[in-house]
Amino acid sequence: MRRAAEVLEGLRRHRATWRLVIGSATAGLVLAAVAVALTGPWDSGRRAAERAQAAEAGRDPAAPEDGGVTVPGAVTVLDPLDGSAPEYAPDAVRRLLEPALSDAALGDGTTAAVVDLATGETLYADHAGTGRAPASTVKIITAVTALNALGPEHRLATTAVWDADGERVVLVGGGDPTLTADDLTALAERTAAALADRGADRVRVAYDTSLYPGGGERHPIGINDNIAAITPLQVNEGRLDGSTHGPAPRADDPAADAADAFTEALTAAGVRVSGDPADRKAPDDAERLAVVRSAPLSSLVERMLTNSDNDLAEALARHTALATGERADSEGLGRAMAAQLDDLGLAHDGARVVDGSGLDRDGRLTAELLTQALATAADPGRPELRSALTGLPVAGFTGTLAGRYDGDGGDGGSGLVRAKTGTLTGVNTLAGTAGTPDGRVLAFAFLAADTTDADAAEAALDRAAGALAACGCA
């Protein structure tokens, strides 16, 4: 078996090319009694879990469904780890981590946990059950709870329906922040064809945002470059600059903008539209005209984690609430996610979930909960959770870790650390997995809640994770 270091040397020689594919290419971790594999859920370019479920259901998950988006398969990069290395000693892990985690830039409030995914043994715990502001590492919890509640193949639907009494087409928001302008055009064209079949040559247009209470809400931090208004109807997360990730200026009313764009596309498709779109709930007996669907939830989770997508995180948290009979608002999602943690057997004492993105400083997670969530996602008996691992940014290559682990302090983790970052003023967090030279895989969570220098704190956490990736701690 080739060692991971040998593979990574080849990757570094072709780094620019691999940046585009390695996020899914280094496949997910498999928890077992004697072995850990890094080949993930991919089988011949398709998610193995979805392939198995599709075989039972008699359909192909890669086939478009009502215009649903398909995603390309991934390429296996790292060979499986055989898990034959000696088990690690907690004292050795403690000696390894303490220099980095005692860095003054992290302040006095750092908590940490490290778990061996092959054995389930906790190798390091420092106030691991104490709640700390998680920042964006809460997206790991958003991921596993959404996947547990909805399943990896679930798709978010945006629908056009016919209100016959009002001779009105109603655009019904389905809580898909990844809806694109092209999706909306395709929906309008199908709607136009369905109207022609009904002989409707002049219509009015309305839009329905009732999926979320009150049509949606603003996150406590407000509308800014990091998040749009939270509404079930929006195009490309309300972004005004054409970007698909990262900070960007946002629309004041994304739902109204989406309705305007749909109306324009409907007109371009040959439908005569009277008046301007109105904000109106669709009648219960409205007839469906057309629908467009998002990529599968497993792909949405990967996008959310890799890019630290706040808008998508809030949407997935609200869909978790809806799937469990809760209101799709901040209070409902907190109850729903806590219930899903209970269903997964994950103790969450000391935790308080108040949003899906981690932008709310009132949220609390524990290092213990984060590592146990990662271990559960690695369980071979829970393949539906695997994208909570495959979506984690790869150190030095993808997402929010693409520009990290390039310096002297982080080179040990480049390509071997996969982790969700978290940053708020005074808060720096990092949680994920590290593959070691002798073939073990460790889940870790570091939560620093009193940082004094964001760059220095980030570097200290990177050193800690990089040290784990270089660990020979038997």
Side-chain angles (χ1 to χ4, degrees):
M1 183 190 73
R2 293 178 297 168
R3 283 299 189 198
E6 295 171 351
V7 179
L8 287 168
E9 180 59 32
L11 288 176
R12 290 189 182 99
R13 288 196 298 268
H14 303 285
R15 183 169 182 154
T17 300
W18 282 106
R19 276 186 188 277
L20 298 177
V21 298
I22 196 169
S24 295
T26 48
L29 309 175
V30 178
L31 174 65
V34 295
V36 178
L38 222 63
T39 52
W42 299 103
D43 185 354
S44 301
R46 179 178 295 173
R47 296 177 203 282
E50 291 181 2
R51 181 183 182 190
Q53 292 163 4
E56 294 175 2
R59 66 181 184 85
D60 184 353
E65 178 185 352
D66 290 322
V69 179
T70 58
V71 292
V75 180
T76 297
V77 174
L78 298 183
D79 285 342
L81 302 174
D82 60 19
S84 62
E87 294 182 16
Y88 284 172
D91 285 347
V93 175
R94 176 180 54 79
R95 290 192 298 270
L96 186 77
L97 286 180
E98 284 186 345
L101 294 181
S102 61
D103 192 300
L106 296 176
D108 298 325
T110 304
T111 68
V114 178
V115 171
D116 186 322
L117 290 185
T119 65
E121 181 184 3
T122 297
L123 298 175
Y124 183 83
D126 183 4
H127 294 85
T130 301
R132 290 286 185 267
S136 281
T137 58
V138 77
K139 292 183 176 79
I140 294 171
I141 304 302
T142 302
V144 297
T145 54
L147 289 164
N148 190 60
L150 297 160
E153 293 185 78
H154 183 78
R155 296 174 187 251
L156 312 182
T158 304
T159 311
V161 302
W162 178 235
D163 172 9
D165 291 341
E167 296 185 329
R168 181 182 291 111
V169 175
V170 184
L171 176 64
V172 182
D176 177 13
T178 69
L179 184 74
T180 67
D182 287 345
D183 292 333
L184 212 54
T185 297
L187 182 64
E189 290 172 348
R190 294 187 197 119
T191 300
L195 290 171
D197 290 342
R198 288 160 178 77
D201 60 355
R202 181 179 290 275
V203 303
R204 290 181 287 179
V205 172
Y207 60 101
D208 182 345
T209 59
S210 63
L211 186 68
Y212 297 170
E217 59 188 327
R218 293 193 177 197
H219 192 278
I221 69 166
I223 299 172
N224 61 38
D225 286 359
N226 290 306
I227 192 168
I230 300 171
T231 172
L233 179 61
Q234 54 187 303
V235 176
N236 191 28
E237 302 176 344
R239 294 171 179 272
L240 299 176
D241 63 357
S243 63
T244 58
H245 62 275
R250 307 304 180 102
D252 291 331
D253 191 345
D257 290 352
D260 286 341
F262 176 74
T263 301
E264 292 177 7
L266 202 59
T267 301
V271 178
R272 292 187 295 171
V273 178
S274 300
D276 296 325
D279 187 352
R280 180 189 298 265
K281 188 179 185 304
D284 292 338
D285 61 353
E287 181 184 0
R288 191 174 86 173
L289 297 172
V291 62
V292 290
R293 302 182 190 275
S294 71
L297 183 65
S298 54
S299 295
L300 299 183
V301 162
E302 289 180 334
R303 168 174 167 167
M304 174 189 68
L305 292 171
T306 299
N307 295 331
S308 199
D309 192 316
N310 297 312
D311 302 271
L312 187 49
E314 294 297 343
L316 296 187
R318 281 160 178 76
H319 279 281
T320 300
L322 291 168
T324 55
E326 295 284 357
R327 283 166 58 90
D329 58 15
S330 56
E331 292 183 1
L333 69 86
R335 290 191 296 268
M337 291 168 71
Q340 291 304 301
L341 291 174
D342 289 335
D343 186 64
L344 289 165
L346 297 173
H348 48 92
D349 294 343
R352 182 170 71 253
V353 178
V354 297
D355 70 355
S357 62
L359 290 173
D360 192 329
R361 303 179 68 88
D362 289 338
R364 294 291 182 269
L365 288 183
T366 67
E368 180 180 28
L369 174 57
L370 283 166
T371 52
Q372 292 304 316
L374 291 164
T376 301
D379 186 338
R382 303 305 303 262
E384 70 277 10
L385 305 180
R386 199 60 45 75
S387 55
L389 294 179
T390 59
L392 293 172
V394 181
F397 287 92
T398 64
T400 55
L401 285 183
R404 291 166 63 167
Y405 291 82
D406 286 337
D408 293 338
D411 277 343
S414 183
L416 296 173
V417 170
R418 303 181 63 105
K420 185 69 205 73
T421 57
T423 306
L424 295 171
T425 302
V427 175
N428 290 87
T429 58
L430 192 68
T433 61
T436 72
D438 50 6
R440 305 205 76 83
V441 182
L442 310 177
F444 66 86
F446 308 137
L447 306 177
D450 189 24
T451 60
T452 57
D453 180 326
D455 291 339
E458 189 178 273
L461 297 182
D462 287 350
R463 284 195 300 274
L468 285 177
C471 186
C473 299

